[in-house]
Amino acid sequence: MADSYPPLLRRIRDEGHSIGTHTQDHPLKTLSVERMKREIDDGIESVGRALGNPSEVAPFFRFPGLIHPVPAEDYLASKRIMVWSVDLVADDWRRISPDQVLKRALIRLEKRGRGILLLHDIQRRTTLALPRLLAALKAQNYHVVHVVPAASGVGDSGQLMGEVGSRL
Ligand SMILES: [Zn+2]
């Protein structure tokens, strides 16, 4: 995605967002340790290249399919990259309507009270649901948090501020 849409990545950066990575080719099955390392490194390199500055890649990573192989976790830790998972999903990769994405996100968030909500920006249903989701979160007094590295860039320590989605 970074290789295909570098201007979009720069726009996301310019609008103030942190950009982490998610592997180069999004492999979902078990890989050799060497291949895993390459997937991680290539993903970081692609995002750094798209941004025009490798130090602007946030030291944040999410595993494809939320599968966390221990050797890959160890490798990320050795690079001081923080691994993120999720607390709830809105099933936005399934064939459901934008309304259903919105409904599932809000119901599950309500049940839990707060948490990291997984959404996929490549899904049209998600982009259609997002303005209403953000408006609903605001109306219900949720606090949407932007997580930033304590010092910017891969290789620096990835400490964070704040709590995602906690209610005021
Ligand atoms: Zn993914």
Side-chain angles (χ1 to χ4, degrees), residues 52-108:
N53 181 359
S55 74
E56 289 180 335
V57 183
F60 299 155
F61 181 87
R62 183 172 76 76
F63 280 107
L66 301 172
I67 297 156
H68 293 214
V70 172
E73 284 194 316
D74 291 346
Y75 182 60
L76 288 158
S78 77
K79 293 171 74 88
R80 302 180 64 81
I81 295 172
M82 176 172 282
V83 174
W84 287 79
S85 191
V86 306
D87 297 311
L88 48 150
V89 299
D91 303 333
D92 64 338
W93 64 93
R94 299 188 197 283
R95 286 182 195 181
I96 60 175
S97 68
D99 276 349
Q100 285 172 305
V101 171
L102 176 69
K103 220 174 275 172
R104 291 181 193 195
L106 289 173
I107 287 169
R108 291 169 186 176

Side-chain angles (χ1 to χ4, degrees), residues 42-53:
D42 289 354
I44 293 167
E45 200 184 302
S46 285
V47 173
R49 194 168 45 237
L51 293 175
N53 181 359

Side-chain angles (χ1 to χ4, degrees), residues 22 26 62 64-65 120:
H22 189 51
H26 206 263
R62 183 172 76 76
H120 295 83

Side-chain angles (χ1 to χ4, degrees), residues 125-139:
R125 63 181 66 84
T126 306
T127 61
L128 292 172
L130 199 57
R132 280 179 294 150
L133 175 59
L134 290 170
L137 293 177
K138 196 172 178 186

